Amino acid sequence: MFEDELKENRDEIKLEKDQETMMVTGEELLLPRDTLLSAGIHIGTRMKTKDMEEFIYRVRPDGLFVLDVKKTDDRIRIAGKFLARFEAAKIAGTAARLYAQEPVKKFCEMTGATPIIGRFIPGLLSNPLYPNRIEPEVIIVSDPRADFQAVKEASSVGIPVVALCSTDNEFAGIDLVIPTNNKGRRALAVIYWLLARQVLRERGELSSDKDLPVTIEDFETKISKEEEEET
């Protein structure tokens, strides 16, 4: 019985890879397809919103919605061009969830952006009387639901929001969507590594054939077994 389940899982992965191959033929992706798939950037949730329909490729037999990796790739390119237009210190990256925190820290370290890690303090963007108020010109959120306060305040003061969105997210207050698995530890590391590399390439600080001086593993949140059980 175990062997049958194992074979079924292998067949499912092979089918997924074959289908993803058909989706991306004709154009090279920013990273090899196998790297993206093994990180699970295409794996969504068992829920989908109307907003995210255009980015969903199919639904798996287990009910998980699968994102189109080509569209994720396209949006990272677009976001890289967009973010490169801003002064580095005027870009802010938020991460309320644990798995997003190290990727955002590393992204900010590589690009010169401002990290907002952990709980987003109300008034950080919108209250002129708050002594630690910051004034970014663009903000990146790792999950519109977890980072809802950041989205709300950015929208209220007219700051554009770039958001990593999974199949269950809505676009209220979002200006640019990057469709991706925004809950997986490895997926978040890959997306932020790619985004940092793309921003630096668009700025002309990194040539198009060069990678970042740090690895995807460096972007990945390291947690203890106890922390993993709590997440």
Side-chain angles (χ1 to χ4, degrees), residues 94-106 117-118 142-143 146 164 181-190 192 218-231:
T94 69
R97 282 193 170 141
L98 176 63
Y99 285 176
Q101 291 179 11
E102 191 60 30
V104 168
K105 282 180 191 173
K106 275 292 179 189
I117 305 300
S142 303
D143 180 343
L164 274 55
N181 174 352
N182 61 9
K183 298 169 183 66
R185 184 155 54 110
R186 183 70 176 181
L188 284 162
V190 166
Y192 274 107
D218 293 321
F219 272 67
E220 194 170 338
T221 298
K222 310 298 187 295
I223 60 172
S224 66
K225 193 172 181 180
E226 291 75 19
E227 286 175 316
E228 190 167 10
E229 288 170 356
E230 289 172 7
T231 57

Side-chain angles (χ1 to χ4, degrees), residues 75 82 139 154-155 158-163 171-177:
R75 286 305 179 100
F82 177 65
I139 192 165
S155 299
I159 298 171
V161 177
V162 177
F171 296 171
I174 307 302
D175 298 282
L176 177 58
V177 168

Side-chain angles (χ1 to χ4, degrees), residues 104-172:
V104 168
K105 282 180 191 173
K106 275 292 179 189
F107 171 85
C108 293
E109 182 184 316
M110 290 290 104
T111 63
T114 302
I116 305 170
I117 305 300
R119 179 173 175 261
F120 188 95
I121 306 298
L124 187 62
L125 302 179
S126 60
N127 183 356
L129 301 178
Y130 180 55
N132 296 320
R133 181 180 178 230
I134 62 171
E135 298 183 73
E137 293 178 356
V138 63
I139 192 165
I140 306 165
V141 300
S142 303
D143 180 343
R145 185 175 288 114
D147 300 314
F148 70 93
Q149 185 69 28
V151 174
K152 177 182 174 184
E153 291 197 20
S155 299
S156 72
V157 295
I159 298 171
V161 177
V162 177
L164 274 55
C165 292
S166 188
T167 60
D168 58 346
N169 287 125
E170 295 179 336
F171 296 171

Side-chain angles (χ1 to χ4, degrees), residues 15-180:
L15 173 64
E16 205 161 271
K17 287 189 175 183
D18 289 344
Q19 289 176 323
E20 296 290 343
T21 301
M22 289 188 287
M23 284 161 42
V24 300
T25 14
E27 187 173 341
E28 190 178 346
L29 297 172
L30 291 168
L31 274 178
R33 174 180 54 86
D34 285 349
T35 302
L36 299 175
L37 295 181
S38 63
I41 72 158
H42 61 308
I43 302 298
T45 69
R46 287 185 173 84
M47 293 177 60
K48 73 166 180 176
T49 62
K50 189 170 181 58
D51 288 343
M52 283 297 292
E53 279 183 353
E54 64 177 292
F55 299 110
I56 294 172
Y57 175 60
R58 69 185 184 97
V59 59
R60 297 194 328 191
D62 62 2
L64 282 172
F65 289 97
V66 176
L67 293 162
D68 185 334
V69 293
K70 176 63 172 61
K71 290 183 177 179
T72 301
D73 187 272
D74 288 344
R75 286 305 179 100
I76 290 172
R77 294 172 194 265
I78 292 168
K81 283 182 185 294
F82 177 65
L83 293 169
R85 292 163 39 190
F86 295 89
E87 181 186 336
K90 291 295 186 179
I91 301 170
T94 69
R97 282 193 170 141
L98 176 63
Y99 285 176
Q101 291 179 11
E102 191 60 30
V104 168
K105 282 180 191 173
K106 275 292 179 189
F107 171 85
C108 293
E109 182 184 316
M110 290 290 104
T111 63
T114 302
I116 305 170
I117 305 300
R119 179 173 175 261
F120 188 95
I121 306 298
L124 187 62
L125 302 179
S126 60
N127 183 356
L129 301 178
Y130 180 55
N132 296 320
R133 181 180 178 230
I134 62 171
E135 298 183 73
E137 293 178 356
V138 63
I139 192 165
I140 306 165
V141 300
S142 303
D143 180 343
R145 185 175 288 114
D147 300 314
F148 70 93
Q149 185 69 28
V151 174
K152 177 182 174 184
E153 291 197 20
S155 299
S156 72
V157 295
I159 298 171
V161 177
V162 177
L164 274 55
C165 292
S166 188
T167 60
D168 58 346
N169 287 125
E170 295 179 336
F171 296 171
I174 307 302
D175 298 282
L176 177 58
V177 168
I178 299 175
T180 183

